[in-house]
Structure formats: C-alpha cells, structure tokens
Amino acid sequence: MGGNDGKQDQAAGKMKKTAGDLTGNEEMKSEGKSQERKGKGKEKLENAKDSVTGAVKGAGGKDD
C-alpha cells in the first residue's frame, strides 16, 4: 500500500485537535476532528479495497 492510507491524516488531525484544546481554539479543534474522520474513512476504504483485491485473487482472478 503506498501513499497516505489515512494514518497520516489521523495523526495530523489528532495533533490539530490537541493543539486546539490546549489553546482554546475551537476552529483548530474542529478542523482536527474533521481531518481525523477523513483519515479513518480513507483507512476503511483502503481496507475494503484490499479485501476485494484479495477475494478476486483468491477466486482465480489475474493481478494486472
């Protein structure tokens, strides 16, 4: 798996959320929560894609 599989967004979002908490910056906190959710969504999508690819390979499909 290459590139950003969602973990980078989750980590960055968590840092923004924490910084927003510490500074009382609600906008930064909200952006962090949003970025974290985006990362979790990307990770779920990648996992689903990997499952489908594995199922196709297991069913005798070709990996082009």
Side-chain angles (χ1 to χ4, degrees):
M1 208 178 332
N4 182 356
D5 63 357
K7 297 216 184 283
Q8 291 171 343
D9 282 322
Q10 288 179 58
K14 188 168 280 206
M15 288 179 9
K16 275 185 187 176
K17 190 171 73 172
T18 300
D21 274 339
L22 293 173
T23 62
N25 185 331
E26 290 299 319
E27 185 177 345
M28 184 181 289
K29 184 177 173 181
S30 179
E31 285 177 18
K33 285 181 182 180
S34 180
Q35 190 169 3
E36 217 175 338
R37 283 192 300 270
K38 176 183 170 186
K40 287 178 183 179
K42 277 185 179 181
E43 187 175 19
K44 286 181 181 182
L45 182 62
E46 282 296 318
N47 290 341
K49 185 175 116 182
D50 290 345
S51 292
V52 169
T53 300
V56 169
K57 285 181 184 177
K62 289 185 178 179
D63 185 26
D64 292 327

